[in-house]
């Protein structure tokens, strides 16, 4: 391996609120939040330490895939400080001053959007990210009570998407004043942060940071990443660090060697071809949502229900599949889409169907030294798709049961059925028996759907835990297919 990649670097700096700062005193597992607070930037708070409350939110200058910069809100409690080496960070302290508030801070104050103030800096950063979203535009036909819109209740008349705040938890103020503040925002003026969007984001450099508690290396290419894995097969791979960050914070895990793959070009791309869509394993979910723009309806259903915007700005499909969690939300969707994955090592690449990838509880066919390179979704897509996530909360929650349907219907007959399940077995799985019960049958007959729904309710080996009972999970499986049948019948009536 090239020695330039294995010699620890001496320049360990990033820009924080416009000032170049050195972070070389940090340990290998120090988070960005930890560094900020150790350096008197205490606006960012630690609430949950696992990315669920947003009190730690900051802005990072990220590439917008068009040569400019996007002010992207992320959970600083999950991101290793080394992961932002050479980057540009903005905290609530850097947005405005007590004498000259930023428009977002001013709107929050005017609307009474803060009481104890603990969550306020995080809300302000998430709100500022949406404030500076380049394609946010006022909605011309906005109308209704309290600034709601007739066609989209979760967008304000100024085009503000409330989902931008879904990962921020308020403990005392209540959300109406915060929403009012968001809906009161106008267009950004010619301030420095708006102007920054037209400039390139900072280039990512080949970070190699070693301390007594471990070593953090950012791979610069697929060959570099697989070479590192070949030398250190037990290394922890991180892209968004939304899972590993929880392990570090909550379970105090430490790894001798961490390899960051978030800026490997071969792993961060989306390619749309005639016969497949290829998604790099390290492509953030928010980028997938933005680039595909509804082209894959199942993914369009999934992504808004996948954690929060703060998480989706860094979380990846490769990371979700890599954990092999039986309740990972992306697995049922990708199983229903007949997705394939490519595994890469220093010696070879191999492609396999996702349905063959999972072998047991958090166990897969991925070998030591391998990483997930891309996810491939075959085209054309099925005619009828749906994703049902059953959880205690509508958004930002772990699913009790997840069901993804991809059904091809030709002349009223089901010619192909794929159903992916999560939360009902030790692994994500396909509902083969229910698929067989549908295939070749007329979708228009309610007896077909009722019979298949009963079969679906017997799929998997659901268990009872603190989220749901086994019986509840089975019932939800059956109900999901009944609901899909009812919705499709209603849609047919509307179209006719």
């Amino acid at each position: 391996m090239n020695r330039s990649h294995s010699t620890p670097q001496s320049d360990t700096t990033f820009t924080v609120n416009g000032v170049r700062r050195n972070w070389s005193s940090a340990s290998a597992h120090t988070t960005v939040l930890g560094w900020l607070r150790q350096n008197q930037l205490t606006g960012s708070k630690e609430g949950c330490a696992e990315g669920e409350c947003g009190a730690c939110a900051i802005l990072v200058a990220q590439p917008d895939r068009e040569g400019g910069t996007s002010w992207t809100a992320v959970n600083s409690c999950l991101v290793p400080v080394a992961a932002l080496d050479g980057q540009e960070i903005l905290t609530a302290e850097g947005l405005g001053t007590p004498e000259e508030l930023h428009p977002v801070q001013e709107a929050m104050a005017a609307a009474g959007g803060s009481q104890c103030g603990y969550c306020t800096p995080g809300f302000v950063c998430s709100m500022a990210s949406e404030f500076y979203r380049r394609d946010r535009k006022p909605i011309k036909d906005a109308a209704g009570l309290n600034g709601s819109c007739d066609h989209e209740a979760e967008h304000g008349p100024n085009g503000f998407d409330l989902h931008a705040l879904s990962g921020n938890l308020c403990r005392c103020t209540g959300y109406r004043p915060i929403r009012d503040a968001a809906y009161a925002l106008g267009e950004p003026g010619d301030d420095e942060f708006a102007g920054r969007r037209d400039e390139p984001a900072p280039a990512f450099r080949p970070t190699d940071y070693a301390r007594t508690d471990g070593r953090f290396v950012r791979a610069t290419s697929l060959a570099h990443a697989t070479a590192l894995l070949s030398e250190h097969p037990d290394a922890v791979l991180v892209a968004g660090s939304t899972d590993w960050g929880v392990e570090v914070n909550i379970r105090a895990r430490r790894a001798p060697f961490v390899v960051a793959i978030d800026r490997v070009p071969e792993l961060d791309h989306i390619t749309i071809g005639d016969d497949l869509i290829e998604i790099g394993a390290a492509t953030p979910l928010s980028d997938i949502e933005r680039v595909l723009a509804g082209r894959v309806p199942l993914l369009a259903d999934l992504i808004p229900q996948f954690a929060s915007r703060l998480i989706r700005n860094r979380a990846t499909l490769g990371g979700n599949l890599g954990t092999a969690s039986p309740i990972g939300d992306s697995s049922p969707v990708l199983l229903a889409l007949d997705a394939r994955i490519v595994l890469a090592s220093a010696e070879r690449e191999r492609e396999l169907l996702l349905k063959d990838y999972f072998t047991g509880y958090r166990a897969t066919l991925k070998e030591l030294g391998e990483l997930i390179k891309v996810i491939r979704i075959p085209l054309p897509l099925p005619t009828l798709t749906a994703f049902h996530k059953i959880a205690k909360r509508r958004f930002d929650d772990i699913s009790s049961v997840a069901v993804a349907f991809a059904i091809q219907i030709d002349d009223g007959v089901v010619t192909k059925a794929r159903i992916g399940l999560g939360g009902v077995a030790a692994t994500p799985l396909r509902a083969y028996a229910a698929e067989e019960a549908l295939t070749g049958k007329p979708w228009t007959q309610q007896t077909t759907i009722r019979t298949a729904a009963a079969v679906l309710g017997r799929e998997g080996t659901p268990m009872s835990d603190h989220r749901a009972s086994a019986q509840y999970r089975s019932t939800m499986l059956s109900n999901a297919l009944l609901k899909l049948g009812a919705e499709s019948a209603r849609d047919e009536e509307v179209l006719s």
Side-chain angles (χ1 to χ4, degrees), residues 64-133:
D64 65 3
R65 297 182 182 270
E66 296 176 358
T69 293
S70 169
W71 287 111
T72 304
V74 304
N75 287 302
S76 65
C77 74
L78 299 178
V79 183
V81 69
L84 296 186
D85 178 39
Q87 300 308 293
E88 189 172 342
I89 301 166
L90 193 58
T91 72
E93 294 96 332
L95 281 169
T97 67
E99 294 76 26
E100 188 174 354
L101 294 177
H102 184 274
V104 168
Q105 296 167 326
E106 191 170 22
M108 283 284 279
S114 177
Q115 287 191 42
C116 79
Y118 196 90
C119 68
T120 305
F123 266 103
V124 164
C125 285
S126 289
M127 200 177 290
S129 177
E130 179 67 5
F131 177 67
Y132 288 115
R133 176 165 61 89

Side-chain angles (χ1 to χ4, degrees), residues 198-243:
D198 297 324
E199 302 172 8
F204 281 78
R205 58 192 185 195
T207 304
D208 190 338
Y209 187 69
R211 286 296 181 267
T212 56
D213 65 326
R215 184 173 166 193
F216 180 100
V217 180
R218 164 168 285 109
T220 56
S221 67
L222 180 61
H224 183 203
T226 54
L228 289 169
L229 281 179
S230 179
E231 292 186 7
H232 306 275
D234 293 326
V236 171
L237 283 176
V238 297
S241 196
T242 55
D243 185 75

Side-chain angles (χ1 to χ4, degrees), residues 297-299 301-302 305 326-337 384-391 398-407 417-425 428-432 434-435 438 443 452-453 455-460 462 472-485 487:
L298 255 182
L299 287 177
D301 287 345
L302 159 72
Q305 300 182 68
I327 54 173
D329 285 340
S330 71
S331 299
V333 165
L334 295 173
L335 283 168
L337 290 172
L384 177 63
T385 63
F387 175 65
H388 294 174
K389 176 173 178 173
I390 295 91
I398 295 173
S399 61
S400 300
V401 179
V403 190
F405 299 99
I407 300 172
R418 296 289 184 268
I419 304 173
L421 307 179
V424 294
L429 74 159
R430 283 262 303 276
Y432 291 111
E435 292 173 1
L438 286 171
W443 177 256
V455 174
L456 184 57
R458 297 191 292 270
E459 297 275 15
Y472 177 83
R473 287 185 161 99
S474 295
T475 301
M476 289 302 100
L477 290 181
S478 296
N479 286 353
L481 185 52
L482 294 174
K483 179 181 179 182
L484 178 64
E487 289 176 341

Side-chain angles (χ1 to χ4, degrees), residues 437-458:
L438 286 171
T439 305
K441 309 294 195 308
W443 177 256
T444 53
Q445 290 187 8
Q446 286 301 309
T447 53
T448 297
I449 297 171
R450 285 197 298 269
T451 299
V455 174
L456 184 57
R458 297 191 292 270

Side-chain angles (χ1 to χ4, degrees), residues 30-61:
T30 295
T31 64
V32 174
L33 176 63
W35 185 91
L36 290 171
R37 295 188 63 79
Q38 290 164 13
N39 287 270
Q40 288 74 55
L41 291 165
T42 54
S44 301
K45 305 294 194 293
E46 180 176 276
C48 65
E50 52 186 341
E52 291 191 2
C53 75
C56 67
I58 62 170
L59 297 168
V60 179

Side-chain angles (χ1 to χ4, degrees), residues 72-369:
T72 304
V74 304
N75 287 302
S76 65
C77 74
L78 299 178
V79 183
V81 69
L84 296 186
D85 178 39
Q87 300 308 293
E88 189 172 342
I89 301 166
L90 193 58
T91 72
E93 294 96 332
L95 281 169
T97 67
E99 294 76 26
E100 188 174 354
L101 294 177
H102 184 274
V104 168
Q105 296 167 326
E106 191 170 22
M108 283 284 279
S114 177
Q115 287 191 42
C116 79
Y118 196 90
C119 68
T120 305
F123 266 103
V124 164
C125 285
S126 289
M127 200 177 290
S129 177
E130 179 67 5
F131 177 67
Y132 288 115
R133 176 165 61 89
R134 196 183 292 272
D135 58 352
R136 181 179 67 86
K137 301 296 180 185
I139 299 173
K140 294 181 180 180
D141 62 348
L145 187 64
N146 293 326
S148 64
C149 305
D150 289 339
H151 80 285
E152 177 54 81
E154 290 167 342
H155 284 74
N158 59 352
F160 191 100
D161 181 3
L162 278 183
H163 287 283
L165 306 180
S166 67
N168 294 86
L169 176 65
C170 175
R171 295 162 175 81
C172 58
T173 303
Y175 296 100
R176 185 191 56 78
I178 297 171
R179 185 198 65 177
D180 291 348
Y183 285 0
L185 292 169
E187 293 292 301
D190 57 355
D191 66 47
E192 59 180 310
F193 307 123
R196 182 69 182 81
R197 298 176 301 178
D198 297 324
E199 302 172 8
F204 281 78
R205 58 192 185 195
T207 304
D208 190 338
Y209 187 69
R211 286 296 181 267
T212 56
D213 65 326
R215 184 173 166 193
F216 180 100
V217 180
R218 164 168 285 109
T220 56
S221 67
L222 180 61
H224 183 203
T226 54
L228 289 169
L229 281 179
S230 179
E231 292 186 7
H232 306 275
D234 293 326
V236 171
L237 283 176
V238 297
S241 196
T242 55
D243 185 75
W244 175 245
V246 176
E247 295 293 317
V248 169
N249 291 338
I250 303 300
R251 298 179 177 85
R253 285 191 59 191
R254 299 293 182 264
F257 205 95
V258 175
V259 177
I261 56 173
D262 54 325
R263 292 301 163 185
V264 171
E266 298 95 325
L267 305 180
D268 183 13
H269 71 279
I270 299 172
T271 305
I272 302 174
D274 293 332
D275 57 352
L276 64 83
I277 294 174
E278 183 172 281
I279 302 172
T283 307
L285 293 177
S286 291
D287 286 7
I288 296 172
E289 181 179 38
R290 185 163 47 252
V291 173
L292 291 183
R295 186 183 180 107
V296 182
L298 255 182
L299 287 177
D301 287 345
L302 159 72
I303 292 176
Q305 300 182 68
F306 191 112
S308 67
R309 181 74 60 81
L310 285 165
I311 294 292
R312 296 195 297 271
N313 284 341
R314 288 190 61 83
T316 66
L317 289 180
N320 202 230
L321 295 176
T323 66
S325 170
I327 54 173
D329 285 340
S330 71
S331 299
V333 165
L334 295 173
L335 283 168
L337 290 172
D338 266 339
R340 306 188 301 272
I341 62 173
V342 174
L343 300 176
S345 68
E347 293 77 29
R348 60 171 182 168
E349 291 187 5
R350 58 189 180 113
E351 182 178 85
L352 63 153
L353 288 167
L354 184 62
K355 69 182 182 67
D356 299 325
Y357 171 70
F358 304 103
T359 59
Y361 178 71
R362 292 190 178 269
T364 70
L365 291 177
K366 184 166 67 68
E367 299 172 354
L368 287 177

Side-chain angles (χ1 to χ4, degrees), residues 368-384:
L368 287 177
E370 285 187 320
L371 56 78
I372 302 173
K373 179 184 177 185
V374 297
I375 296 95
R376 290 173 175 165
I377 299 171
L379 298 176
L381 298 170
T383 52
L384 177 63

